[in-house]
Amino acid sequence: GAGVSQTPSNKVTEKGKYVELRCDPISGHTALYWYRQSLGQGPEFLIYFQGTGAADDSGLPNDRFFAVRPEGSVSTLKIQRTERGDSAVYLCASSPTSEGEQFFGPGTRLTVL
Amino acid sequence: RKEVEQDPGPFNVPEGATVAFNCTYSNSASQSFFWYRQDCRKEPKLLMSVYSSGNEDGRFTAQLNRASQYISLLIRDSKLSDSATYLCVVKGNTPLVFGKGTRLSVIA
């Protein structure tokens, strides 16, 4: 069956611009997670959705980062006024429940020039 | 102190070797433990969960010592296809907490 998909696969933007990253979870998975992975590091948690609501957004680094999941399926991670330090791979994962195995998408590689 | 710490690596081993990775975690309230595998420029994939009683999956053995807050992964009879980064992962209430990963290169 289809796994987690993320678009775009690569995004190059200029400092100060706004970007949106999209995640399509596995159908029926109620839990959705966003992580960020910088070079040479493990993924770092950003935000977790259970259904439509953000159950835990403690990993968002500052108020330039925001995520939504309006219908409990697709999620969009939004980054305002991008900075060079935002360059990383943004990974999305979904799981059937909050306790289930998390399945990761291929990630979006964001480069801020 | 980082929440999850791993051997820095890289580990370069010949085919057929046995290699062990170690990991320590700082949050004693952690509930679940995993090893993930990540190939170059790919997403992480669950390799195996780790239980207090120890568990084995083919050539892979994982162990957990809650008292010492220590997790290990042993790979026997290494194959070229085992070359990847191995991530130690700890789960608290909800999010996964990843170590930096240990890179393994198995050489013919």
Side-chain angles (χ1 to χ4, degrees):
Chain A
V4 178
S5 62
Q6 293 186 245
T7 53
S9 55
N10 281 283
K11 176 71 179 178
V12 180
T13 191
E14 293 179 343
K15 182 174 178 292
K17 299 288 189 184
Y18 168 82
V19 297
E20 290 190 352
L21 312 179
R22 177 186 167 110
C23 171
D24 279 86
I26 293 171
S27 178
H29 281 195
T30 60
L32 184 147
Y33 308 80
W34 283 99
Y35 295 85
R36 175 168 75 172
Q37 186 171 24
S38 300
L39 195 62
Q41 304 293 319
E44 291 182 298
F45 168 74
L46 295 176
I47 185 168
Y48 150 59
F49 288 89
Q50 183 60 45
T52 59
D56 183 349
D57 64 357
S58 60
L60 294 177
N62 51 59
D63 61 8
R64 295 187 298 105
F65 289 74
F66 188 70
V68 294
R69 193 186 186 199
E71 297 177 359
S73 179
V74 170
S75 176
T76 305
L77 179 65
K78 308 180 181 197
I79 311 174
Q80 297 177 319
R81 304 183 304 279
T82 51
E83 299 178 356
R84 292 196 181 90
D86 299 335
S87 296
V89 175
Y90 289 80
L91 292 161
C92 177
S94 71
S95 65
T97 68
S98 61
E99 299 305 317
E101 177 184 345
Q102 294 183 25
F103 296 86
F104 283 81
T108 293
R109 184 172 299 274
L110 175 67
T111 303
V112 182
L113 300 176
Chain B
R1 182 186 169 190
K2 293 277 285 184
E3 206 166 332
V4 179
E5 297 204 56
Q6 296 186 239
D7 285 349
F11 284 58
N12 299 312
V13 303
E15 268 188 294
T18 294
V19 60
F21 302 139
N22 304 313
C23 167
T24 57
Y25 61 95
S26 60
N27 185 353
S28 59
S30 300
Q31 299 164 2
S32 308
F33 309 89
F34 310 92
W35 284 100
Y36 273 68
R37 171 190 169 130
Q38 186 170 27
D39 292 292
C40 190
R41 299 180 80 88
K42 299 286 189 181
E43 70 274 21
K45 291 185 179 176
L46 179 65
L47 177 66
M48 57 197 304
S49 301
V50 189
Y51 304 111
S52 297
S53 53
N55 48 301
E56 189 173 309
D57 183 1
R59 298 181 293 108
F60 298 82
T61 301
Q63 297 253 322
L64 165 66
N65 184 322
R66 282 189 184 267
S68 303
Q69 295 180 201
Y70 170 93
I71 305 161
S72 66
L73 177 68
L74 184 78
I75 305 175
R76 290 181 299 277
D77 188 23
S78 300
K79 310 290 184 193
L80 294 174
S81 57
D82 294 335
S83 297
T85 296
Y86 290 83
L87 297 159
C88 178
V89 185
V90 169
K91 186 176 188 296
N93 285 333
T94 305
L96 298 179
V97 182
F98 287 80
K100 281 179 143 182
T102 302
R103 191 165 167 191
L104 172 66
S105 291
V106 181
I107 304 158

